[in-house]
């Protein structure tokens, strides 16, 4: 089992729709979890940390399920500018990234 | 700009040549990480430092790769006898010391080996 797994997509979603991504991780001792956004040929940028109680930042909601070892990202009212690759990241001493999920928001 | 910086941004070299990349982390960050990313993949961990100490190296880091952070500030990543398979984006990131803190990435150095 890979350390961090994501569905690579692409997800093609009409503007205004809600989209959700899941990510699973193998190390049950992992302590910190993040979602990064990466635009084409750019570096990853932190979108949000994921807390045990779940957290929300505007249209974005992140959830952590330790029992099942997955994290999720929900994007509501999607915008064209949300088109990007979303990287799941799990950290102990170093961050391990998934391969990313590509999202295309369609006008 | 107080973010992570990397130099050069692009490097084209011939197979067999040596290349060296530099990363300057955010000034108060004591951890520095190197990753490699190829098309369609997420960043793959290579190595990381806490201050000047290199704490972990991935098995991806063959003996042709070496990284240093001599004064606990900037870091260099050297690739000797480059191969075409080394072509990738090399990303540097930094963070504060605790494991819960997020990493911030530099813009990367894109290496092309001909």
């Amino acid at each position: 089992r890979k350390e961090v797994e994501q569905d690579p997509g692409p997800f093609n979603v009409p503007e205004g729709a809600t989209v959700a991504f899941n990510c699973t991780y193998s190390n049950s001792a992992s302590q910190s979890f993040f979602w990064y956004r990466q635009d084409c040929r750019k570096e990853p940028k932190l979108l949000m940390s994921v807390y045990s109680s779940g957290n929300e930042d505007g249209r974005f909601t992140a959830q952590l399920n330790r029992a099942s070892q997955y994290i999720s990202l929900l994007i509501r009212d999607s915008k064209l500018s949300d088109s990007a690759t979303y990287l799941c990241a799990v950290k102990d001493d170093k961050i391990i990234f998934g391969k990313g999920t590509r999202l295309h928001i369609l006008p | 700009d107080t973010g992570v910086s990397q130099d050069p941004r692009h490097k084209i070299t011939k197979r067999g040549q040596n290349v060296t990349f530099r990363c300057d982390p955010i000034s108060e960050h004591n951890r520095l990480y190197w990753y490699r990313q190829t098309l369609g993949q997420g960043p793959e961990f290579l190595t990381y430092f806490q201050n000047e100490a290199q704490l972990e190296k991935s098995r991806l880091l063959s003996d042709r790769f070496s990284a240093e952070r001599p004064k606990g500030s900037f870091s260099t990543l050297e690739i000797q006898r480059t191969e075409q398979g080394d072509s990738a984006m090399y990303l540097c990131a930094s963070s504060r010391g605790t494991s819960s803190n997020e990493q911030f990435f530099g813009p990367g150095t894109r290496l092309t080996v001909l």
Side-chain angles (χ1 to χ4, degrees):
Chain A
R1 182 179 177 184
K2 292 187 177 178
E3 291 183 271
V4 180
E5 291 199 74
Q6 294 182 254
D7 181 343
F11 285 52
N12 297 308
V13 175
E15 191 176 9
T18 295
V19 59
F21 310 134
N22 281 341
C23 163
T24 59
Y25 60 94
S26 61
N27 184 356
S28 59
S30 298
Q31 293 298 313
S32 303
F33 308 89
F34 308 94
W35 283 101
Y36 280 77
R37 170 190 169 129
Q38 187 170 27
D39 293 294
C40 187
R41 303 183 80 82
K42 299 286 189 180
E43 73 274 20
K45 297 203 176 200
L46 181 67
L47 180 64
M48 58 198 305
S49 302
V50 186
Y51 303 120
S52 296
S53 55
N55 48 300
E56 187 173 310
D57 183 1
R59 298 181 294 108
F60 298 84
T61 300
Q63 297 278 354
L64 168 63
N65 185 318
R66 285 190 184 274
S68 300
Q69 294 181 209
Y70 76 83
I71 66 174
S72 64
L73 178 68
L74 182 79
I75 306 175
R76 290 181 299 278
D77 186 24
S78 55
K79 312 291 185 190
L80 293 175
S81 58
D82 294 334
S83 297
T85 295
Y86 291 83
L87 296 162
C88 167
V90 175
K91 188 176 183 187
D92 297 312
D93 288 326
K94 61 187 183 293
I95 284 188
I96 300 296
F97 287 88
K99 291 187 176 183
T101 298
R102 286 178 294 147
L103 174 65
H104 298 306
I105 304 299
L106 306 173
Chain B
D1 186 352
T2 57
V4 179
S5 62
Q6 292 187 245
D7 182 68
R9 296 289 304 277
H10 303 274
K11 179 69 178 179
I12 300 173
T13 191
K14 292 182 179 179
R15 190 175 49 192
Q17 298 295 305
N18 300 342
V19 294
T20 300
F21 309 142
R22 176 179 170 126
C23 171
D24 287 87
I26 294 171
S27 59
E28 64 268 26
H29 286 183
N30 60 357
R31 288 200 174 186
L32 186 150
Y33 305 80
W34 284 100
Y35 292 85
R36 180 175 68 188
Q37 187 174 27
T38 54
L39 194 64
Q41 303 293 315
E44 296 175 295
F45 170 78
L46 293 178
T47 188
Y48 87 99
F49 294 83
Q50 176 149 322
N51 300 314
E52 66 275 11
Q54 188 172 17
L55 296 188
E56 188 172 343
K57 292 168 61 174
S58 164
R59 59 184 177 277
L60 292 175
L61 215 64
S62 76
D63 57 4
R64 297 185 297 105
F65 288 71
S66 62
E68 295 183 341
R69 194 183 183 197
K71 298 182 180 179
S73 57
F74 73 91
S75 174
T76 58
L77 177 69
E78 181 183 15
I79 309 174
Q80 296 182 326
R81 305 181 302 282
T82 52
E83 301 172 358
Q84 287 185 322
D86 297 331
S87 296
M89 175 74 87
Y90 289 84
L91 293 162
C92 175
S94 70
S95 72
R96 294 181 192 273
T98 62
S99 62
S100 63
N101 284 336
E102 57 266 25
Q103 297 177 348
F104 296 90
F105 282 85
T109 295
R110 183 169 297 280
L111 172 66
T112 302
V113 181
L114 302 177

